[in-house]
Amino acid sequence: MGEHKGLRVIPGGREERRARPEPLWREALGERLRTLRQEQRSTLVDTAGRAGISPQYLSEVERGRKEPSSEMIAALAGALGTSVGDLVGQVAEMMRRRTAVVVGGDRRITAPAMPRTTMIAPNALLMAA
């Protein structure tokens, strides 16, 4: 990125960060569901059977390819021995750890988690010379 007259890029800014964008809700949910299932040493077939869904659908949910309905999330939570509230809380905590800072337009950069009261302005990476 070229510098604009009178502005310079602050070291450690967006050009130096090459992190993965913040995950989507369905990706984080799928990751948490898979982790819970594997911790219980349960197979896709067993967990899907308890939830009343096909193993193929559960696999797609775990990979973040499908966004399940609230009823489906409740069925999966029950099949894994947890509640919807606990599952949602766990996913929210995972996402909080991967706080994204939006820097101009749609570009998202993963940054360390910050207190919820901290805000970063889009122009925080640029400083007047």
Side-chain angles (χ1 to χ4, degrees):
M1 176 175 132
E3 291 187 17
H4 298 304
K5 185 175 181 169
L7 298 176
R8 63 184 172 89
V9 176
I10 296 174
R14 78 171 153 193
E15 286 188 346
E16 293 184 18
R17 294 187 189 185
R18 297 289 179 227
R20 191 172 80 95
E22 180 179 27
L24 298 173
W25 166 258
R26 69 173 185 256
E27 293 169 341
L29 174 64
E31 181 181 332
R32 186 62 192 142
L33 289 169
R34 176 172 281 165
T35 299
L36 286 171
R37 180 179 60 77
Q38 290 175 339
E39 285 173 353
Q40 296 175 13
R41 300 185 190 279
S42 181
T43 65
L44 277 168
V45 172
D46 292 339
T47 303
R50 288 192 306 272
I53 61 173
S54 73
Q56 294 82 3
Y57 184 75
L58 176 55
S59 175
E60 289 184 354
V61 169
E62 286 185 353
R63 289 181 289 133
R65 303 273 192 251
K66 297 285 184 184
E67 185 138 15
S69 67
S70 58
E71 291 87 359
M72 190 62 58
I73 294 170
L76 287 166
L80 293 167
T82 190
S83 69
V84 173
D86 286 344
L87 179 61
V88 169
Q90 293 165 11
V91 174
E93 182 58 31
M94 284 173 55
M95 293 187 77
R96 259 195 284 287
R97 290 185 196 138
R98 298 175 187 163
T99 303
V101 179
V102 178
V103 180
D106 294 326
R107 186 174 177 108
R108 293 178 286 176
I109 300 172
T110 302
M114 299 174 285
R116 297 176 96 183
T117 56
T118 303
M119 297 173 94
I120 296 180
N123 61 353
L125 297 180
L126 299 175
M127 183 170 111

